[in-house]
Amino acid sequence: MNKELLKLYLVTGRYDFSDSEFLTIIEEACQNGVTLVQLREKELSTQDFYQLALKVKEVTGRYDVPLIINDRLDICLAVDAEGLHIGDDELPVTVARRLLGPGKILGVSTKTLERSVEAQAEGADYLGVGAIFPTQTKESDVTPIATLKEITESVELPVVAIGGIKLENLSALTDSGITGISVVSEIMKAEDVPQTVKSLRQAVEALVVN
């Protein structure tokens, strides 16, 4: 897949936002340098998730930013999103790949070198590795940067660093071999979304060597 799409990857968080506030943040992010949006919803019913995904896809589509659906292959197919992102508690990667077909993006969350190599063999298009730093968004053990680097050196797939990434800790990922970064609260909770996105994009462009 096009590595440029993975430079600055927004994973959504609903927090206490209304739908209009939520969509505005996504739009401002797309306008100012986010390269991909992953819609992550754990609480919504299938119907509500579907309706929200349609609204988000309308926004991302205006800016030619790919929409990735987290976990839910049915929602991904129902709204014709550009791709799906799954972890170990979702469908097996090989099954997801078969159901998605070759034309859609398939991302897989990994934490270890062994799992990363497996996901590559099973048909993933990119890996989301982490959590690199402690995060409140998702309770997860931290993946050492040394492990991240070992993964980027061992697989041919693009690797996105995820988990607790902020402007002030981004420099710790220098020379890690990543293709891009994935952020949640740093953008979703930013006081100035456009400026935060621009600053993150500038920082990751300097950090990532393709």
Side-chain angles (χ1 to χ4, degrees):
M1 67 174 292
N2 181 358
K3 290 184 177 182
E4 289 295 315
L5 297 177
L6 297 170
K7 279 273 176 71
L8 181 53
Y9 178 151
L10 170 63
V11 178
T12 63
R14 284 307 295 276
Y15 302 106
D16 295 322
F17 299 123
S18 66
D19 279 6
S20 63
E21 289 170 329
F22 181 74
L23 294 169
T24 296
I25 292 167
I26 294 170
E27 180 149 24
E28 289 179 344
C30 290
Q31 285 173 325
N32 289 282
V34 158
T35 54
L36 185 147
V37 172
Q38 178 180 321
L39 182 58
R40 182 175 184 269
E41 287 293 339
K42 295 290 189 181
E43 309 300 330
L44 290 183
S45 69
T46 297
Q47 175 64 231
D48 288 345
F49 194 169
Y50 169 71
Q51 294 296 338
L52 182 64
L54 286 175
K55 293 175 185 175
V56 173
K57 190 166 190 291
E58 189 178 330
V59 173
T60 57
R62 282 203 290 273
Y63 301 95
D64 292 322
V65 173
L67 174 63
I68 304 292
I69 301 295
N70 190 69
D71 296 355
R72 295 289 299 271
L73 183 134
D74 56 338
I75 302 292
C76 173
L77 295 176
V79 303
D80 195 25
E82 282 76 15
L84 176 73
H85 189 95
I86 56 175
D88 285 338
D89 53 350
E90 276 79 53
L91 286 169
V93 177
T94 50
V95 174
R97 174 85 279 168
R98 177 166 52 82
L99 293 173
L100 277 176
K104 293 198 182 294
I105 300 166
L106 179 57
V108 178
S109 294
T110 66
K111 299 181 68 61
T112 65
L113 176 59
E114 180 185 21
R115 183 67 193 118
S116 299
V117 171
E118 284 176 357
Q120 176 174 263
E122 291 166 353
D125 290 308
Y126 73 90
L127 304 176
V129 177
I132 302 301
F133 304 106
T135 172
Q136 294 179 331
T137 305
K138 190 174 182 180
E139 291 184 16
S140 183
D141 295 333
V142 168
T143 298
I145 292 175
T147 300
L148 172 67
K149 190 171 183 179
E150 188 180 19
I151 290 168
T152 63
E153 290 172 348
S154 302
V155 300
E156 296 176 5
L157 296 180
V159 173
V160 177
I162 63 175
I165 295 172
K166 302 182 182 301
L167 266 170
E168 63 261 28
N169 61 24
L170 195 50
S171 61
L173 299 174
T174 302
D175 298 326
S176 62
I178 59 170
T179 299
I181 59 168
S182 176
V183 296
V184 187
S185 61
E186 183 76 341
I187 291 175
M188 295 301 301
K189 288 187 167 183
E191 288 185 14
D192 184 339
V193 172
Q195 187 54 54
T196 299
V197 172
K198 287 174 185 174
S199 298
L200 282 166
R201 181 65 185 269
Q202 188 175 10
V204 79
E205 290 283 2
L207 181 80
V208 172
V209 180
N210 284 338

